[in-house]
Amino acid sequence: VVFQPANPAPARGRWITGLLGSLCNESCLRLMEHGRLPFPLSLAVGRTRNAKGAFDFVGLNVYSRFNVAFDLRFPSQLFGRIYVPDDVPQGDRGFENAYGEAYPQGLRVAVERVTAMGKSIYILENGVPDATDRIRPWLIVSAAGELHRLIEEGRDIRGYFHWTLTDNFEWSEGWRLRFGLVSLDPSTQQRTMRKSAYLYSTIARSNELTAEVIDQYGHSPSNIQSKNEIA
């Protein structure tokens, strides 16, 4: 998850943003890099030095971006109000919270962070909850373009796995959020290809982003907001 200060000027907002990013994104990476967890997680575990360098590749789950503003009303979030602006591309909302801004540039943020670890990189999860394919095709095309540019720059990216092939039962959302390239009816197990599945297949089979695909799906749908549409 990419955390961005809502206002970059106040130092306390930048500090809270950095702290959230450190706890959410950096803990495992620092453990594998240095053999220790960052404070305060380091207080809760024992010896971890053997973890240093004990990995063969880096697998990344890359999803959303959130704005963060310092706010005393949110002590449970370390006094950071985490929110998504209304005018950015968003998937369907969960029961309680917005899922986050669909942010394909987050792939670059994540890949550039782990390149120094010196291992091959796999994008193991990247997608959006979108029951009616409002923005998923745009996300797929944008992600493929971002990955192509990173590979051209010399990043050792070996694979990309879109999340997910079929709709799945989510941790706290049940069947409410639909991530699949293929729609799944949980009662009958019937599977139906979404247009994003055909698009993904076209890109994979041709190994390219054609001008037609870019023209049709490559423009940011910033004016399309979540409608909580459920298939």
Side-chain angles (χ1 to χ4, degrees):
V1 175
V2 175
F3 294 101
Q4 170 181 286
N7 184 344
R12 58 188 181 183
R14 296 197 307 272
W15 185 82
I16 291 296
T17 303
L19 179 59
L20 289 169
S22 177
L23 292 174
C24 180
N25 299 323
E26 292 290 326
S27 299
C28 181
L29 296 177
R30 292 181 185 174
L31 176 64
M32 306 310 293
E33 286 178 309
H34 308 297
R36 61 180 181 273
L37 286 166
F39 179 84
L41 297 177
S42 58
L43 301 177
V45 298
R47 185 170 180 265
T48 58
R49 290 194 300 273
N50 290 342
K52 182 178 180 179
F55 60 101
D56 300 309
F57 64 91
V58 179
L60 296 169
N61 298 348
V62 184
Y63 282 97
S64 309
R65 179 167 70 169
F66 289 93
N67 280 20
V68 179
F70 178 78
D71 196 322
L72 292 173
R73 295 173 297 174
F74 294 86
S76 65
Q77 297 176 173
L78 306 177
F79 301 105
R81 178 168 58 89
I82 304 170
Y83 69 98
V84 184
D86 291 332
D87 60 346
V88 299
Q90 297 184 52
D92 300 333
R93 290 181 61 92
F95 276 111
E96 297 181 351
N97 301 308
Y99 186 77
E101 175 186 354
Y103 188 60
Q105 295 88 344
L107 291 166
R108 174 171 292 275
V109 175
V111 168
E112 290 183 344
R113 163 62 182 87
V114 303
T115 292
M117 299 176 77
K119 301 289 185 177
S120 300
I121 301 168
Y122 291 85
I123 309 301
L124 298 181
E125 292 188 14
N126 178 240
V128 65
D130 184 2
T132 57
D133 261 359
R134 293 180 294 106
I135 66 171
R136 185 181 289 109
W138 162 79
L139 180 68
I140 290 172
V141 170
S142 299
E146 195 68 65
L147 290 171
H148 175 72
R149 288 186 288 272
L150 287 164
I151 292 170
E152 288 288 295
E153 294 167 13
R155 313 296 183 179
D156 188 15
I157 301 171
R158 301 294 182 91
Y160 171 88
F161 299 82
H162 189 82
W163 184 262
T164 183
L165 174 61
T166 65
D167 292 333
N168 60 290
F169 190 86
E170 279 290 309
W171 294 95
S172 60
E173 299 289 343
W175 292 105
R176 180 180 178 85
L177 296 183
R178 303 302 181 92
F179 287 85
L181 295 169
V182 178
S183 171
L184 172 65
D185 185 328
S187 60
T188 66
Q189 295 296 298
Q190 180 178 350
R191 293 156 170 81
T192 305
M193 297 270 282
R194 292 188 168 101
K195 66 180 179 182
S196 53
Y198 293 105
L199 169 64
Y200 194 76
S201 175
T202 297
I203 295 171
R205 289 174 183 272
S206 64
N207 195 33
E208 65 175 338
L209 288 174
T210 65
E212 180 182 1
V213 165
I214 294 173
D215 183 63
Q216 184 173 0
Y217 299 112
H219 305 289
S220 175
S222 59
N223 61 328
I224 301 178
Q225 300 179 26
S226 172
K227 300 176 182 178
N228 271 336
E229 295 170 305
I230 306 300

Short mmCIF file of all heavy atoms in Angstrom, two decimals, residues 69-92:
data_model
loop_
_atom_site.label_atom_id
_atom_site.label_comp_id
_atom_site.label_asym_id
_atom_site.label_seq_id
_atom_site.Cartn_x
_atom_site.Cartn_y
_atom_site.Cartn_z
N ALA A 69 -3.67 12.23 6.71
CA ALA A 69 -3.63 13.56 7.33
C ALA A 69 -3.56 13.39 8.85
O ALA A 69 -4.23 12.52 9.41
CB ALA A 69 -4.87 14.37 6.95
N PHE A 70 -2.74 14.20 9.50
CA PHE A 70 -2.68 14.17 10.97
C PHE A 70 -4.02 14.60 11.54
O PHE A 70 -4.58 15.62 11.15
CB PHE A 70 -1.59 15.11 11.46
CG PHE A 70 -1.49 15.17 12.95
CD1 PHE A 70 -0.87 14.16 13.67
CD2 PHE A 70 -2.03 16.25 13.66
CE1 PHE A 70 -0.78 14.21 15.05
CE2 PHE A 70 -1.95 16.31 15.03
CZ PHE A 70 -1.33 15.29 15.74
N ASP A 71 -4.56 13.79 12.46
CA ASP A 71 -5.89 14.06 13.01
C ASP A 71 -5.99 13.42 14.39
O ASP A 71 -5.89 12.20 14.52
CB ASP A 71 -6.97 13.50 12.08
CG ASP A 71 -8.35 14.06 12.37
OD1 ASP A 71 -8.67 14.26 13.56
OD2 ASP A 71 -9.12 14.28 11.43
N LEU A 72 -6.18 14.24 15.41
CA LEU A 72 -6.24 13.75 16.79
C LEU A 72 -7.45 12.86 17.05
O LEU A 72 -7.50 12.17 18.07
CB LEU A 72 -6.25 14.94 17.75
CG LEU A 72 -4.96 15.76 17.82
CD1 LEU A 72 -5.16 16.99 18.69
CD2 LEU A 72 -3.81 14.90 18.36
N ARG A 73 -8.41 12.84 16.16
CA ARG A 73 -9.61 12.03 16.36
C ARG A 73 -9.38 10.56 16.01
O ARG A 73 -10.29 9.75 16.18
CB ARG A 73 -10.75 12.58 15.50
CG ARG A 73 -11.22 13.98 15.87
CD ARG A 73 -12.23 14.50 14.86
NE ARG A 73 -11.62 14.63 13.54
CZ ARG A 73 -12.30 14.96 12.44
NH1 ARG A 73 -13.60 15.18 12.52
NH2 ARG A 73 -11.67 15.08 11.28
N PHE A 74 -8.17 10.20 15.55
CA PHE A 74 -7.92 8.83 15.12
C PHE A 74 -6.72 8.22 15.86
O PHE A 74 -5.72 7.87 15.25
CB PHE A 74 -7.68 8.79 13.61
CG PHE A 74 -8.89 9.15 12.79
CD1 PHE A 74 -9.18 10.49 12.51
CD2 PHE A 74 -9.75 8.17 12.33
CE1 PHE A 74 -10.29 10.83 11.77
CE2 PHE A 74 -10.87 8.51 11.59
CZ PHE A 74 -11.15 9.84 11.30
N PRO A 75 -6.82 8.10 17.18
CA PRO A 75 -5.70 7.54 17.94
C PRO A 75 -5.39 6.09 17.57
O PRO A 75 -4.24 5.66 17.63
CB PRO A 75 -6.15 7.67 19.40
CG PRO A 75 -7.64 7.73 19.33
CD PRO A 75 -7.96 8.45 18.07
N SER A 76 -6.41 5.32 17.19
CA SER A 76 -6.19 3.91 16.85
C SER A 76 -5.39 3.76 15.56
O SER A 76 -4.86 2.68 15.29
CB SER A 76 -7.52 3.17 16.72
OG SER A 76 -8.28 3.68 15.64
N GLN A 77 -5.31 4.83 14.76
CA GLN A 77 -4.53 4.83 13.52
C GLN A 77 -3.30 5.70 13.66
O GLN A 77 -2.83 6.28 12.69
CB GLN A 77 -5.40 5.30 12.34
CG GLN A 77 -6.57 4.38 12.08
CD GLN A 77 -7.50 4.86 10.97
OE1 GLN A 77 -8.41 4.15 10.57
NE2 GLN A 77 -7.28 6.06 10.48
N LEU A 78 -2.79 5.78 14.92
CA LEU A 78 -1.60 6.57 15.22
C LEU A 78 -1.80 8.04 14.86
O LEU A 78 -0.86 8.72 14.44
CB LEU A 78 -0.38 5.99 14.47
CG LEU A 78 -0.11 4.51 14.71
CD1 LEU A 78 1.06 4.04 13.87
CD2 LEU A 78 0.15 4.24 16.19
N PHE A 79 -3.04 8.50 15.03
CA PHE A 79 -3.43 9.89 14.76
C PHE A 79 -3.27 10.25 13.28
O PHE A 79 -3.05 11.41 12.92
CB PHE A 79 -2.65 10.87 15.63
CG PHE A 79 -2.85 10.62 17.10
CD1 PHE A 79 -1.85 10.02 17.85
CD2 PHE A 79 -4.04 10.95 17.72
CE1 PHE A 79 -2.03 9.76 19.20
CE2 PHE A 79 -4.24 10.70 19.07
CZ PHE A 79 -3.23 10.10 19.81
N GLY A 80 -3.42 9.27 12.43
CA GLY A 80 -3.43 9.51 11.00
C GLY A 80 -4.80 9.20 10.42
O GLY A 80 -5.30 8.09 10.56
N ARG A 81 -5.43 10.19 9.83
CA ARG A 81 -6.72 9.95 9.14
C ARG A 81 -6.41 9.43 7.74
O ARG A 81 -5.84 10.14 6.91
CB ARG A 81 -7.54 11.23 9.09
CG ARG A 81 -8.88 11.08 8.35
CD ARG A 81 -9.78 12.28 8.58
NE ARG A 81 -9.16 13.52 8.17
CZ ARG A 81 -9.26 14.03 6.93
NH1 ARG A 81 -9.97 13.39 6.00
NH2 ARG A 81 -8.68 15.18 6.63
N ILE A 82 -6.78 8.20 7.48
CA ILE A 82 -6.48 7.53 6.22
C ILE A 82 -7.74 7.57 5.35
O ILE A 82 -8.80 7.09 5.77
CB ILE A 82 -6.04 6.08 6.48
CG1 ILE A 82 -4.85 6.05 7.43
CG2 ILE A 82 -5.70 5.38 5.17
CD1 ILE A 82 -4.49 4.65 7.92
N TYR A 83 -7.62 8.12 4.16
CA TYR A 83 -8.81 8.27 3.32
C TYR A 83 -8.43 8.25 1.84
O TYR A 83 -7.26 8.31 1.47
CB TYR A 83 -9.55 9.57 3.67
CG TYR A 83 -8.81 10.83 3.27
CD1 TYR A 83 -9.12 11.49 2.08
CD2 TYR A 83 -7.82 11.37 4.09
CE1 TYR A 83 -8.44 12.63 1.71
CE2 TYR A 83 -7.14 12.53 3.73
CZ TYR A 83 -7.45 13.15 2.54
OH TYR A 83 -6.78 14.29 2.18
N VAL A 84 -9.47 8.17 1.01
CA VAL A 84 -9.30 8.18 -0.44
C VAL A 84 -10.08 9.37 -1.01
O VAL A 84 -11.28 9.49 -0.75
CB VAL A 84 -9.84 6.86 -1.06
CG1 VAL A 84 -9.56 6.83 -2.56
CG2 VAL A 84 -9.23 5.66 -0.37
N PRO A 85 -9.45 10.24 -1.78
CA PRO A 85 -10.17 11.35 -2.40
C PRO A 85 -11.26 10.83 -3.34
O PRO A 85 -11.14 9.74 -3.91
CB PRO A 85 -9.08 12.11 -3.18
CG PRO A 85 -7.79 11.71 -2.53
CD PRO A 85 -8.00 10.30 -2.06
N ASP A 86 -12.31 11.61 -3.51
CA ASP A 86 -13.43 11.16 -4.34
C ASP A 86 -13.11 11.15 -5.83
O ASP A 86 -13.76 10.44 -6.60
CB ASP A 86 -14.65 12.07 -4.11
CG ASP A 86 -15.24 11.90 -2.72
OD1 ASP A 86 -15.11 10.79 -2.16
OD2 ASP A 86 -15.84 12.86 -2.21
N ASP A 87 -12.12 11.94 -6.25
CA ASP A 87 -11.90 12.13 -7.69
C ASP A 87 -10.80 11.24 -8.27
O ASP A 87 -10.22 11.57 -9.30
CB ASP A 87 -11.58 13.59 -7.97
CG ASP A 87 -10.32 14.06 -7.25
OD1 ASP A 87 -9.86 13.36 -6.34
OD2 ASP A 87 -9.80 15.15 -7.61
N VAL A 88 -10.51 10.12 -7.62
CA VAL A 88 -9.50 9.20 -8.13
C VAL A 88 -10.15 7.87 -8.47
O VAL A 88 -11.23 7.55 -7.96
CB VAL A 88 -8.36 8.99 -7.10
CG1 VAL A 88 -7.68 10.31 -6.79
CG2 VAL A 88 -8.89 8.35 -5.82
N PRO A 89 -9.53 7.06 -9.33
CA PRO A 89 -10.11 5.75 -9.67
C PRO A 89 -10.19 4.85 -8.45
O PRO A 89 -9.20 4.68 -7.75
CB PRO A 89 -9.14 5.19 -10.71
CG PRO A 89 -8.38 6.36 -11.23
CD PRO A 89 -8.31 7.33 -10.09
N GLN A 90 -11.36 4.31 -8.21
CA GLN A 90 -11.56 3.43 -7.05
C GLN A 90 -12.34 2.19 -7.46
O GLN A 90 -13.23 2.25 -8.31
CB GLN A 90 -12.33 4.14 -5.94
CG GLN A 90 -11.65 5.34 -5.34
CD GLN A 90 -12.45 5.92 -4.19
OE1 GLN A 90 -12.83 5.20 -3.27
NE2 GLN A 90 -12.70 7.21 -4.23
N GLY A 91 -12.02 1.08 -6.83
CA GLY A 91 -12.83 -0.10 -6.98
C GLY A 91 -14.06 -0.02 -6.09
O GLY A 91 -14.36 1.02 -5.49
N ASP A 92 -14.78 -1.13 -5.97
CA ASP A 92 -15.97 -1.17 -5.13
C ASP A 92 -15.58 -1.08 -3.66
O ASP A 92 -14.54 -1.58 -3.24
CB ASP A 92 -16.73 -2.47 -5.39
CG ASP A 92 -17.18 -2.60 -6.83
OD1 ASP A 92 -17.37 -1.57 -7.49
OD2 ASP A 92 -17.31 -3.75 -7.30
#
